[in-house]
């Protein structure tokens, strides 16, 4: 007999997660800000978990055990209540942690005092040490033996590791981002983790995660001002030194660091930015009193920092509003005004043969793919690079070239030629000369036959790609010789259900994806694949051809027009609205990046 031990109890939980797209769920929740599920953190405070209920049947007791397994405090003490004494003493809960999409219980042989079960599930994800989530889709079986102890059923044998039902997981853990520094030292890069426990433990957990450093996939691409010999002197307290309810409500945070003697003013500012935005993003309010061996790390801020003191590092900062929305229509670049469009000045506004266009983040440079007009076997596409209000010149050719994307330094446009050749068109700011430099993309090209989309995150440290219709996120690494590589690619839209056709970064933690589908053509996925949400489909006409996004607004081009989705709109009133300035125009939206 197979019995589903626990189904997701709310329609939200049933539909929101990755497997929903392939499990026949009628609709996904419409959300612009995915609330991802979390991970185990040692020392988490106890939260509500069932205790063994007297007289419970063994299969029902297993249900309760998996629910209790979501509470990690004291080496899963809540779950150990369901084990025999011997089993509790030998159970290795640190071996691995599996987040199960749905747990099914298969009954085996049973006597009056013993019972055997097989637990079968599909893996939604694996929790790595430090709160890192790794999306998965494998199935697994584990064997569990149970026995009666003083008339009550208890688990007498189970394999190493922890299995957590996803609904219980969502109820217990929260997504948090800790922040590291990009190679240029001007942008914070999010590293998504999951924590559990009470709010008054959160500051200590997050700062310790910062000191422990970035996850392995990011370690070669970011720097950390809290690494090496940095430590915390004494407990983290409220700003006035109180040790209770730290991080709860008002009262601020006081952290005394050791090991900062050799850090200059700029390094200390970066350290402050990492700490402040990590805490502020987790709703741990300031002021943030940051000390070095008992003295303020910045003598101009003796009473503490606020986010205003590091606002230039705001990880959710807007794109360059002065650049504004643009569009590609009739083969040329247009600036979109409130009620109309005007051609961009220079070559790109005068051309009539552009297939795709990308603006640098500061809006001063443009990269575009133009139709050469030459018959085969001559290359049909050419990559043009130039200034926004001036001329342009060809830098590369191919039968196909993906939509370009700009790096964080505004001096290099990336593209993929003929599906596999990833290049950087790098401009020397002093001379204006552009060099085409190959990118080592072997880690990505081995995943499939063709890359059809490549978009760099605004921090320049990650790239989102579509390879044979599948979405991956890779890390951008620059070695000391200046060679760039795409490393550690991971599939993040597992269960998408149909091929992805276009994508863009909404924030550093989320990607918006257009896919081949009639019901939910646009979805948003967290950067590690822990959650996928459907964006509203109201007003859209399939197919959705292109997507561009910012933290505030998503834009799409569908079969009829260009539409915008405002993330500030109330959930009940969120739908795609046609962009007024592009009414009646067949176009593709373009934001900087």
């Amino acid at each position: 007999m197979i019995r589903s031990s626990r189904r997701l109890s709310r329609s939200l939980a049933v539909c929101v997660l990755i497997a929903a797209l392939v499990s026949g769920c009628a609709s996904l929740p419409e959300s612009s800000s995915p609330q991802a599920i979390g991970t185990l953190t040692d020392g988490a405070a106890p939260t509500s978990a069932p205790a063994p209920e007297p007289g419970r049947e063994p299969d029902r007791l297993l249900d309760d055990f998996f629910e209790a397994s979501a509470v990690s405090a004291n080496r899963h003490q809540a779950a150990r209540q369901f084990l025999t004494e011997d089993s509790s003493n030998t159970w290795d809960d640190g071996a691995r942690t599996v987040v199960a999409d749905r747990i099914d219980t298969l009954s085996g042989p049973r006597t009056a005092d013993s019972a055997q079960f097989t637990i079968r599930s599909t893996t939604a994800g694996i929790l790595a040490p430090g709160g890192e989530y790794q999306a998965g889709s494998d199935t697994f079986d584990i064997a569990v033996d149970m026995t009666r102890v003083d008339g009550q059923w208890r688990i007498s044998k189970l394999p190493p590791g922890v299995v957590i039902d996803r609904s219980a997981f969502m109820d217990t853990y929260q997504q948090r981002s800790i922040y590291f520094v990009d190679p240029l030292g001007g942008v914070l890069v999010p590293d998504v983790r999951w924590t559990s426990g009470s709010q008054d433990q959160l500051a200590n957990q997050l700062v310790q995660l910062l000191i422990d450093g970035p996850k392995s996939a990011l370690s070669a691409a970011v720097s950390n001002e809290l690494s090496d010999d940095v430590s915390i002197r004494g407990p983290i307290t409220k700003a006035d030194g109180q040790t209770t309810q730290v991080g709860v409500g008002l009262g601020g945070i006081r952290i005394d660091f050791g090991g900062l003697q050799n850090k200059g003013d700029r390094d200390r500012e970066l350290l402050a930015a990492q700490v402040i935005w990590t805490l502020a993003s987790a709703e741990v309010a300031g002021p943030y009193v940051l000390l070095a061996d008992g003295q303020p790390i910045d003598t101009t801020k003796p009473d503490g920092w606020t986010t205003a003191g590091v606002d230039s590092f705001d990880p959710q900062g807007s794109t360059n509003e002065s650049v504004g929305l643009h569009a590609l229509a009739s083969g040329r670049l247009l600036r979109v005004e409130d009620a109309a469009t005007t051609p961009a000045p220079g070559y790109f506004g005068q051309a009539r043969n552009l297939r795709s266009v990308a603006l640098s983040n500061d809006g001063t440079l443009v990269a575009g793919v133009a139709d050469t007009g030459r018959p085969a076997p001559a290359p049909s596409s050419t990559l043009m690079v130039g200034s926004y209000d001036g001329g342009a010149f060809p830098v590369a050719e191919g039968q196909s070239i993906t939509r370009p994307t700009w790096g964080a330094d505004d001096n290099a446009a990336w593209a993929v030629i003929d599906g596999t050749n990833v290049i950087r068109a790098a401009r020397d700011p002093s001379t204006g000369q552009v060099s085409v430099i190959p990118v080592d993309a072997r880690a990505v090209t081995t995943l499939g036959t063709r890359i059809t989309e490549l978009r760099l995150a605004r921090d320049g440290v990650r790239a989102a790609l579509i390879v044979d219709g599948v979405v991956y996120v890779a890390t951008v690494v620059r070695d000391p010789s200046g060679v760039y590589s795409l490393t550690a690619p991971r599939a993040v839209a597992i269960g998408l259900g149909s091929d992805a056709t276009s994508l863009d970064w909404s924030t550093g933690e989320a990607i918006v994806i257009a896919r081949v589908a009639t019901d939910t053509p646009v979805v948003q996925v967290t950067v590690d694949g822990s959650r996928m949400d459907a964006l509203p489909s109201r007003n859209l006409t399939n197919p959705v051809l292109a997507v561009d996004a910012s933290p505030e607004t998503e834009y799409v081009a569908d079969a009829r027009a260009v539409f915008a989705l405002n993330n500030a709109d109330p959930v009940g009133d969120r739908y795609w609205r046609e962009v007024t300035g592009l009414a009646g125009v067949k176009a593709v939206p373009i934001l900087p990046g």
Side-chain angles (χ1 to χ4, degrees):
M1 176 182 70
I2 299 177
R3 187 181 63 81
S4 173
S5 66
R6 181 169 290 103
R7 297 185 185 275
L8 304 179
S9 61
R10 300 182 300 273
S11 61
L12 172 66
V14 172
C15 298
V16 296
L17 295 170
I18 298 165
L21 287 170
V22 294
S23 64
C25 188
S27 62
L28 294 171
E30 297 180 348
S31 169
S32 65
S33 181
Q35 299 301 308
I37 45 186
T39 194
L40 296 174
T41 301
D42 290 339
T47 56
S48 177
E53 184 178 321
R56 194 77 155 165
E57 280 297 299
D59 56 345
R60 301 296 299 276
L61 192 81
L62 277 176
D63 290 354
D64 298 340
F65 166 72
F66 289 120
E67 183 175 344
S69 295
V71 180
S72 62
N74 302 320
R75 298 187 60 235
H76 293 91
Q77 182 58 42
R80 291 181 187 274
Q81 300 175 90
F82 295 82
L83 310 182
T84 65
E85 183 177 355
D86 287 345
S87 180
S88 178
N89 290 335
T90 59
W91 180 41
D92 180 9
D93 63 324
R96 75 167 186 165
T97 302
V98 177
V99 181
D101 181 47
R102 188 188 68 187
I103 298 173
D104 289 331
T105 303
L106 286 71
S107 300
R110 177 172 174 175
T111 68
D113 294 315
S114 67
Q116 296 179 355
F117 296 91
T118 298
I119 306 303
R120 177 169 296 167
S121 183
T122 299
T123 301
I126 301 294
L127 294 177
E132 178 184 355
Y133 185 99
Q134 301 169 358
S137 60
D138 296 338
T139 59
F140 68 90
D141 290 352
I142 61 173
V144 175
D145 292 352
M146 303 188 71
T147 189
R148 286 187 188 269
V149 177
D150 297 331
Q152 303 298 322
W153 288 102
R154 292 294 183 265
I155 299 169
S156 57
K157 182 180 179 181
L158 76 166
V162 178
V163 177
I164 305 176
D165 180 89
R166 189 162 57 186
S167 61
F169 189 48
M170 289 182 67
D171 289 339
T172 313
Y173 298 88
Q174 300 82 38
Q175 173 189 318
R176 308 294 186 190
S177 286
I178 59 177
Y179 291 97
F180 299 98
V181 182
D182 80 306
L184 301 177
V187 179
L188 294 182
V189 180
D191 186 349
V192 175
R193 307 295 182 91
W194 286 262
T195 63
S196 65
S198 58
Q199 182 71 15
D200 62 356
Q201 293 181 318
L202 189 54
N204 188 72
Q205 291 174 342
L206 294 176
V207 174
Q208 187 59 57
L209 286 173
L210 280 173
I211 291 174
D212 292 342
K215 65 182 67 172
S216 59
L218 280 177
S219 60
V222 296
S223 61
N224 182 18
E225 294 300 332
L226 281 80
S227 62
D228 301 326
D229 297 326
V230 174
S231 61
I232 303 174
R233 301 173 70 245
I236 296 177
T237 69
K238 284 184 175 290
D240 62 2
Q242 293 185 44
T243 58
T244 59
Q245 295 294 293
V246 177
V248 179
L250 302 178
I253 293 290
R254 179 185 180 274
I255 310 174
D256 191 359
F257 292 102
L260 305 188
Q261 297 91 337
N262 297 323
K263 290 189 180 293
D265 291 344
R266 178 60 176 176
D267 291 339
R268 292 182 177 216
E269 182 186 25
L270 291 173
L271 182 147
Q274 285 186 249
V275 172
I276 290 167
W277 283 114
T278 294
L279 295 177
S281 298
E283 299 182 351
V284 176
Y288 308 95
V289 179
L290 306 181
L291 308 176
D293 295 317
Q295 300 300 315
I297 66 170
D298 184 338
T299 57
T300 67
K301 297 179 175 64
D303 298 323
W305 300 62
T306 67
T307 55
V310 285
D311 59 353
S312 64
F313 296 96
D314 184 352
Q316 302 298 334
S318 302
T319 54
N320 194 327
E321 296 182 359
S322 64
V323 178
L325 176 65
H326 286 67
L328 175 64
S330 300
R332 63 176 176 170
L333 179 64
L334 305 176
R335 180 174 178 84
V336 181
E337 309 292 347
D338 289 339
T341 60
T342 56
Y347 162 80
F348 292 96
Q350 302 303 314
R352 292 293 188 274
N353 64 339
L354 297 176
R355 292 175 171 171
S356 62
V357 176
L359 294 166
S360 63
N361 292 285
D362 62 6
T364 61
L365 299 176
V366 185
V369 178
D371 187 341
T372 65
R374 289 182 282 170
S380 63
S381 300
T382 182
L383 179 62
M384 306 291 296
V385 175
S387 62
Y388 179 77
D389 56 1
F393 51 89
V395 298
E397 291 185 331
Q399 292 297 345
S400 69
I401 302 177
T402 59
R403 172 174 55 154
T405 182
W406 287 89
D409 64 356
D410 290 322
N411 280 306
W414 293 49
V416 185
I417 299 176
D418 295 332
T420 58
N421 182 20
V422 182
I423 59 101
R424 293 175 63 249
R427 174 181 175 271
D428 186 331
S430 62
T431 65
Q433 296 297 311
V434 176
S435 301
V436 176
I437 307 167
V439 173
D440 183 354
R442 288 173 293 179
V444 174
T445 54
T446 57
L447 299 172
T449 59
R450 193 171 193 83
I451 304 170
T452 56
E453 186 88 306
L454 165 65
R455 302 295 292 166
L456 293 175
R458 291 176 185 87
D459 54 45
V461 170
R462 288 189 179 97
L465 307 100
I466 300 176
V467 183
D468 295 346
V470 180
V471 177
Y472 297 88
V473 169
T475 304
V476 178
V477 175
R478 181 183 185 273
D479 71 17
S481 67
V483 175
Y484 283 79
S485 302
L486 294 175
T487 66
R490 287 185 181 177
V492 296
I494 296 173
L496 187 61
S498 57
D499 284 354
T501 57
S502 180
L503 56 75
D504 197 28
W505 293 86
S506 174
T507 67
E509 295 125 329
I511 302 163
V512 180
I513 304 167
R515 68 185 187 117
V516 180
T518 57
D519 52 350
T520 54
V522 187
V523 301
Q524 186 168 349
V525 64
T526 48
V527 69
D528 58 356
S530 58
R531 174 165 177 170
M532 189 183 302
D533 290 276
L535 295 185
S537 56
R538 178 180 171 187
N539 287 348
L540 296 183
T541 301
N542 289 311
V544 174
L545 304 172
V547 60
D548 217 330
S550 73
E552 299 83 16
T553 310
E554 287 84 33
Y555 294 92
V556 298
D558 73 356
R560 297 184 296 113
V562 174
F563 291 87
L565 185 69
N566 188 337
N567 294 334
D569 287 343
V571 173
D573 192 37
R574 294 187 70 237
Y575 61 91
W576 297 95
R577 294 175 170 86
E578 186 171 1
V579 175
T580 305
L582 291 170
V585 178
K586 187 74 172 177
V588 172
I590 298 169
L591 291 171

